[in-house]
Amino acid sequence: MKQLINVPETVVADALRGMAVAHPELTVDVENRVVVRGDAPVLGKVGLVSGGGSGHEPLHGSFVGHGMLDAACPGEVFTSPVPDQMVRAAAAVDSGAGVLFVVKNYTGDVLNFDMAAELAQDEGIRVAKVLVQDDVAVTDSLFTAGRRGTGGTLFVEKMAGAAAQEGAPLERVEGVARRVAESSRSFGVALSPCTTPAKGSPTFDLPAGELELGVGIHGEPGRERRAMMTSGEIADFTVDAVLEDLPPDGPVIALVNGMGGTPLLELYGFAAEVHRVLGERGVPVTRTLVGNYVTSLDMAGASVTLCRVDEELLRLWDAPVRTAGLRWAA
Amino acid sequence: MKQLINVPETVVADALRGMAVAHPELTVDVENRVVVRGDAPVLGKVGLVSGGGSGHEPLHGSFVGHGMLDAACPGEVFTSPVPDQMVRAAAAVDSGAGVLFVVKNYTGDVLNFDMAAELAQDEGIRVAKVLVQDDVAVTDSLFTAGRRGTGGTLFVEKMAGAAAQEGAPLERVEGVARRVAESSRSFGVALSPCTTPAKGSPTFDLPAGELELGVGIHGEPGRERRAMMTSGEIADFTVDAVLEDLPPDGPVIALVNGMGGTPLLELYGFAAEVHRVLGERGVPVTRTLVGNYVTSLDMAGASVTLCRVDEELLRLWDAPVRTAGLRWAA
């Protein structure tokens, strides 16, 4: 697999240099690998910080901005960032109102954010944490004890970000984040593996006529492999897997997410099938977001995340957001 | 190559069904394949209409909305839409102020938009046309006499769309579009071929260790094939190819565009290299847009489009836009 890179060793730093030139409204610390809102710290505002391995862009760096994250810490590709990055990020965004760490459930991320929280608290920063573990495909996987954190992260960052932007105190921002995390479930499929810069070849084998049902965002194994299915069949399987775990007792927001290598043309067709299944199951969909948001480099495939929303969460979803990767006005 | 589709025959209709459910603010005529702003026709406003073969998403359908296109006509994958679609689109968006067709320079598109313009004029609609032919790689190619239209289309649709949104008359909207088209130049490279749904296998061969310099957005041949290059070397070649044709006598907006299959992580790294080269050549970059905007299905690769801007064009670029694929507030 050919890649548009210089050398594998500088891929993350190169991307950060690109973010810096493309987004002058951000403060990008290339050396220390921290992306911060240019106007941070915002007086009286809770700081939202997330991070994780690179390779899932636009998550997290492109979600830094008004109404979403205050800072993001990118690790190497598919590798946790280190506590030092997280502490720097917390210090950069804390205005005295405290900081919330949004943590995807991967062992390295969890350990390092835990350590960072202790270090930041030692420096006098109030820190709360929320763990995102929305992937219903498997419990305990490569890199994870329990369930993996995937597409639900976008919902947590958007809605908790909106609450923080409104000036909610730390306890409430944390409460929103926790509620969104508990209301979100995901399931993904892979049609092809991805290729990391360091390896330069596919990270796993997927035979020509098969797909992986329940794949993780690093290509971790899912529930099973089957002979290739149609978009409609994949939507049936995927939505039912999510609904089995998230009983449909109210309206949902649907994220129809591409893994990176699947064309938008196909994703929109898949979104139509996802809506068809949700309609057949009697689940009202209030908002639908279609695109590549939580990716696995060049992997072909898609995931569906459903987030059950009440009036407050829907209002927080609709609130204005201005980031490189997600933006809308009120 | 596996694809997230039902059957090749319904790919475009399926995607339009997906657009309809995800974007209730649009009027999507799935049967007749026309995507229209939900509030069209807007009284006194010039209607902007574009279209072309599918497979380049988000172009054009996802650029329909406030401040950009009023309607888009998607053809089959890599196949021109038919005049009937264009006439329907023109009729749907004309408020009496006239309609501007934005046409990428491919033989089928040009012929069909010409015919549609005549038919629409017969129905009493004033129609102007602007041809986008920004790709400096080659003249005369598969599907094209003269230069191909590629990334420059985004600039034309955005800036002419802003002028139309402001209420400019047809002659001025056409003038803006023509000026943007004349001020934009592109050059693209492919690291891998793309796979159309109908064919189900790569549309061209590209040996393991080579890239195609100057590739078209349907995988048409470019200038030459070379042994794989680094991101920095590709940026040198690409930017110089553009600048050779667009002497740098003022500030530019840079579009660093992915062909669909290249991860955003790599695109941002490439954007850093593009900025480095522009800096070395003394060209000031006022705005930079990085992402997958004018794509070739799942092709890996990227293109660079530079648009030379004066104060007026920069103001039109910065004007608010609310579409599925491009959106920002003032």
Side-chain angles (χ1 to χ4, degrees):
Chain A
M1 303 303 291
K2 283 162 283 188
Q3 297 175 313
L4 186 56
I5 64 174
N6 288 317
V7 291
E9 293 71 22
T10 64
V11 163
V12 174
D14 288 348
L16 288 174
R17 288 193 297 123
M19 288 208 72
V21 296
H23 306 294
E25 70 278 14
L26 299 175
T27 302
V28 181
D29 182 341
V30 177
E31 193 186 335
N32 294 302
R33 305 203 174 182
V34 182
V35 178
V36 182
R37 270 175 70 155
D39 59 357
V42 180
L43 193 65
K45 182 187 172 303
V46 169
L48 228 69
V49 173
S50 192
S54 293
H56 306 300
E57 291 68 27
L59 187 82
H60 300 269
S62 292
F63 295 151
V64 174
H66 180 97
M68 213 160 165
L69 293 178
D70 291 83
C73 314
E76 283 300 305
V77 170
F78 295 175
T79 302
S80 175
V82 296
D84 181 55
Q85 290 170 272
M86 301 157 181
V87 175
R88 276 178 195 275
V93 307
D94 182 41
S95 69
V99 170
L100 177 68
F101 285 164
V102 178
V103 186
K104 299 200 301 302
N105 189 31
Y106 298 98
T107 306
D109 291 10
V110 172
L111 288 174
N112 288 350
F113 270 110
D114 277 352
M115 191 177 303
E118 285 180 28
L119 293 168
Q121 277 155 347
D122 289 348
E123 293 184 17
I125 301 171
R126 280 200 303 150
V127 177
K129 284 174 298 182
V130 64
L131 195 64
V132 186
Q133 37 190 342
D134 57 308
D135 186 347
V136 303
V138 293
T139 45
D140 303 337
S141 170
L142 229 53
F143 314 127
T144 309
R147 283 181 169 180
R148 304 176 295 218
T150 59
T153 316
L154 182 145
F155 288 116
V156 173
E157 294 179 359
K158 172 65 184 77
M159 297 180 200
Q165 190 67 51
E166 288 177 2
L170 183 58
E171 293 66 28
R172 199 173 100 69
V173 176
E174 181 189 356
V176 166
R178 206 170 299 283
R179 206 146 63 81
V180 176
E182 285 165 4
S183 306
S184 300
R185 298 288 188 286
S186 299
F187 190 90
V189 303
L191 308 192
S192 81
C194 56
T195 299
T196 58
K199 190 153 185 283
S201 59
T203 52
F204 63 100
D205 287 323
L206 194 53
E210 296 182 13
L211 82 170
E212 176 91 35
L213 292 164
V215 75
I217 56 172
H218 312 88
E220 306 97 306
R223 286 192 190 172
E224 55 177 308
R225 286 182 177 190
R226 285 207 189 166
M228 190 55 198
M229 296 155 70
T230 65
S231 170
E233 291 165 347
I234 294 171
D236 279 313
F237 193 99
T238 300
V239 171
D240 283 341
V242 170
L243 291 180
E244 200 177 302
D245 210 87
L246 189 83
D249 69 349
V252 299
I253 301 177
L255 167 62
V256 178
N257 175 63
M259 292 296 194
T262 287
L264 200 53
L265 184 72
E266 298 179 22
L267 280 184
Y268 269 108
F270 184 55
E273 296 296 337
V274 167
H275 263 255
R276 175 189 55 75
V277 182
L278 287 166
E280 288 169 7
R281 305 293 181 268
V283 181
V285 187
T286 58
R287 302 285 185 276
T288 306
L289 186 65
V290 181
N292 291 288
Y293 291 102
V294 181
T295 62
S296 305
L297 294 168
D298 59 341
M299 186 190 286
S303 64
V304 173
T305 303
L306 300 181
C307 178
R308 210 161 45 188
V309 290
D310 55 18
E311 269 184 36
E312 188 201 13
L313 294 189
L314 187 58
R315 186 181 63 74
L316 293 171
W317 176 257
D318 286 342
V321 59
R322 288 198 302 273
T323 70
L326 202 68
R327 59 169 66 210
W328 51 73
Chain B
M1 302 303 290
K2 283 162 282 187
Q3 297 175 312
L4 186 56
I5 64 173
N6 288 317
V7 291
E9 293 72 21
T10 64
V11 163
V12 174
D14 289 349
L16 288 174
R17 288 193 297 124
M19 288 208 72
V21 297
H23 306 295
E25 71 278 14
L26 299 175
T27 302
V28 181
D29 182 341
V30 177
E31 195 187 336
N32 293 302
R33 306 203 173 180
V34 182
V35 178
V36 182
R37 271 175 72 154
D39 60 356
V42 180
L43 193 66
K45 182 187 172 304
V46 168
L48 228 69
V49 173
S50 192
S54 292
H56 307 300
E57 291 69 25
L59 187 81
H60 300 270
S62 292
F63 295 151
V64 174
H66 181 97
M68 212 162 167
L69 293 178
D70 291 84
C73 314
E76 284 300 305
V77 171
F78 295 174
T79 303
S80 175
V82 295
D84 181 54
Q85 290 170 270
M86 300 157 182
V87 175
R88 277 178 195 274
V93 307
D94 182 41
S95 69
V99 170
L100 178 69
F101 286 164
V102 178
V103 186
K104 299 200 301 302
N105 190 30
Y106 298 99
T107 306
D109 290 10
V110 172
L111 288 174
N112 289 349
F113 270 110
D114 277 352
M115 192 176 305
E118 286 182 27
L119 292 168
Q121 277 156 345
D122 288 348
E123 293 185 17
I125 301 171
R126 279 201 303 150
V127 178
K129 285 173 297 181
V130 64
L131 195 64
V132 186
Q133 37 191 342
D134 56 308
D135 185 348
V136 303
V138 293
T139 44
D140 303 337
S141 172
L142 229 52
F143 314 127
T144 308
R147 282 181 169 180
R148 303 175 296 217
T150 60
T153 316
L154 182 145
F155 288 115
V156 174
E157 294 180 358
K158 171 66 184 76
M159 296 181 201
Q165 191 67 53
E166 288 178 2
L170 183 58
E171 292 65 30
R172 199 174 100 70
V173 175
E174 181 189 356
V176 166
R178 206 169 299 284
R179 206 146 64 82
V180 176
E182 284 165 4
S183 305
S184 300
R185 297 289 189 285
S186 299
F187 190 91
V189 303
L191 307 192
S192 81
C194 56
T195 299
T196 59
K199 189 153 185 281
S201 61
T203 52
F204 63 100
D205 287 322
L206 193 53
E210 296 183 13
L211 82 169
E212 175 92 34
L213 292 165
V215 74
I217 56 173
H218 311 88
E220 306 98 306
R223 287 192 190 172
E224 57 177 306
R225 288 182 175 189
R226 284 207 191 166
M228 190 55 198
M229 296 155 70
T230 66
S231 171
E233 290 164 348
I234 295 172
D236 279 314
F237 193 98
T238 300
V239 171
D240 282 340
V242 169
L243 291 181
E244 198 177 305
D245 210 87
L246 188 83
D249 68 350
V252 299
I253 301 177
L255 167 62
V256 178
N257 175 63
M259 292 296 195
T262 287
L264 201 53
L265 184 72
E266 297 179 22
L267 280 184
Y268 270 108
F270 184 54
E273 296 296 338
V274 167
H275 263 256
R276 174 189 55 75
V277 182
L278 287 166
E280 289 169 7
R281 305 293 180 269
V283 181
V285 187
T286 57
R287 302 285 184 275
T288 306
L289 185 66
V290 181
N292 290 286
Y293 291 102
V294 180
T295 63
S296 306
L297 294 167
D298 60 341
M299 185 189 287
S303 65
V304 173
T305 304
L306 300 181
C307 177
R308 209 163 45 188
V309 290
D310 55 20
E311 268 184 37
E312 188 200 13
L313 294 188
L314 187 58
R315 186 181 62 75
L316 293 171
W317 176 257
D318 285 342
V321 59
R322 289 198 302 274
T323 71
L326 201 69
R327 60 169 65 210
W328 52 73

